[in-house]
Amino acid sequence: MVTTLTCWYMNGNVPRGQWRAGVRTTDGWQSVREPAGRYAEASLLEWGSITKGLVGTTAAVTLELERPVASYLPGVPDSEMTVGDLVRHTSGLARVPPTIRDSLVRGPYRPAVGVPLDLTTAVPLTPRGQYVYSNLGYALLGAVLDAAYGSWFDAVQEQVLRPAGIDSATLVPAASERIMPRFLGRAISPWALGASSFAAAGGLWSTFDDLCRYADWALEPGAPPSRTVSWQRDEGTRWINGEVRAAGAVIARAAGVTAVVHTLAKAPYAADAIAAALVEREALRARDA
């Protein structure tokens, strides 16, 4: 992640627009950009698919990864698909089912609000064991945790949120609490992920400080691999990111530096680019010190 991106931030081209970031080095957390604009007017921001990190960890530490999903959810078409396949994105399931479609008028997850996940849509499209990133897979993993514990979110609170010291996490925040960009003077409405059967794939909201607390907990020195079981790895970098309707977020760790970035109304993966640049900048500072 870090080595493949041009570090335009270090060259003085600080990206415009609304974003917030912090970096953690051996000296502790440092704020890169203080809250301003919408970040100063509201308190809760979207994690998007970073939510999967908490759900994957909860499944990894409480369930048997080689146990068939069908043993929890008999309506699943594939009897060989395992819990571990869902955690690792190797189930062969599509990114989203055919019922979830992009729309300029309606949010794609609106049809899934208030209704159970349609298990009949969990039909693999690629061979089991092959990596295919899947929101459907994590929605199904949430349903497995619901079957095992009554509520996937309660299980996540017990296994991750409380141990990490996170107390602001929610799935459906009040409109006044949501950090969202404005268009023509009005706040853009977020996707209804948290109220849908896809909440476990990307529905979490919290304060920026609590997003940083999750980064600390997941990346704590000596922490078990289960804390980052669903994260991505490349050339010594570990990261997890999320993209939703009008926001992006990333936690990235490399060269002894952790960066947490959240952006509003920017190009896809802008948060990743900013995080990569910040990690490289701090690593160079440490090398030259």
Side-chain angles (χ1 to χ4, degrees):
M1 175 185 177
V2 173
T3 58
T4 58
L5 290 172
T6 302
C7 198
W8 35 257
Y9 184 97
M10 288 169 29
N11 295 327
N13 299 317
V14 179
R16 297 180 180 180
Q18 296 188 70
W19 56 279
R20 190 168 177 197
V23 293
R24 190 188 230 307
T25 65
T26 54
D27 296 325
W29 279 103
Q30 302 170 31
S31 178
V32 174
R33 210 178 207 201
E34 293 298 327
R38 291 296 292 152
Y39 288 105
E41 297 168 6
S43 58
L44 302 181
L45 48 78
E46 290 183 274
W47 288 33
S49 286
I50 295 178
T51 305
K52 292 182 177 69
L54 290 76
V55 177
T57 292
T58 299
V61 300
T62 66
L63 303 176
E64 298 175 46
L65 293 184
E66 299 311 312
R67 183 171 173 177
V69 173
S71 68
Y72 293 99
L73 304 170
V76 172
D78 185 351
S79 61
E80 296 185 358
M81 182 190 305
T82 68
V83 172
D85 286 327
L86 300 181
V87 171
R88 296 185 290 264
H89 295 284
T90 57
S91 63
L93 294 175
R95 189 179 188 92
V96 294
T99 51
I100 302 299
R101 299 178 180 177
D102 289 335
S103 171
L104 294 176
V105 179
R106 301 178 65 194
Y109 296 96
R110 203 166 158 190
V113 172
V115 298
L117 183 67
D118 182 358
L119 300 181
T120 65
T121 65
V123 179
L125 300 182
T126 56
R128 180 170 167 255
Q130 179 178 321
Y131 181 87
V132 177
Y133 189 87
S134 179
N135 285 337
L136 174 56
Y138 263 77
L140 191 60
L141 187 57
V144 168
L145 289 168
D146 283 343
Y149 301 110
S151 165
W152 72 264
F153 188 63
D154 287 350
V156 162
Q157 285 183 311
E158 181 177 347
Q159 298 297 328
V160 180
L161 294 175
R162 282 196 285 270
I166 295 171
D167 59 15
S168 68
T170 184
L171 296 174
V172 187
S176 61
E177 297 179 315
R178 301 185 309 218
I179 299 173
M180 292 294 292
R182 289 193 175 97
F183 179 70
L184 298 178
R186 299 182 62 181
I188 294 174
S189 295
W191 287 341
L193 261 168
S196 78
S197 51
F198 283 77
L204 202 69
W205 298 68
S206 83
T207 62
F208 183 81
D209 287 345
D210 273 348
L211 182 59
C212 293
R213 288 187 180 95
Y214 171 59
D216 272 345
W217 181 84
L219 298 170
E220 181 181 14
S226 59
R227 293 193 186 180
T228 55
V229 67
S230 54
W231 289 41
Q232 300 178 71
R233 290 166 171 77
D234 179 36
E235 300 179 5
T237 304
R238 280 187 289 177
W239 80 96
I240 188 167
N241 58 6
E243 295 285 332
V244 284
R245 182 178 191 180
V250 65
I251 301 169
R253 174 76 174 176
V257 180
T258 301
V260 176
V261 180
H262 192 272
T263 62
L264 294 177
K266 297 183 73 65
Y269 306 110
D272 294 70
I274 294 171
L278 292 173
V279 168
E280 189 170 349
R281 184 192 71 175
E282 293 304 320
L284 287 173
R285 283 180 174 176
R287 186 193 67 184
D288 296 338

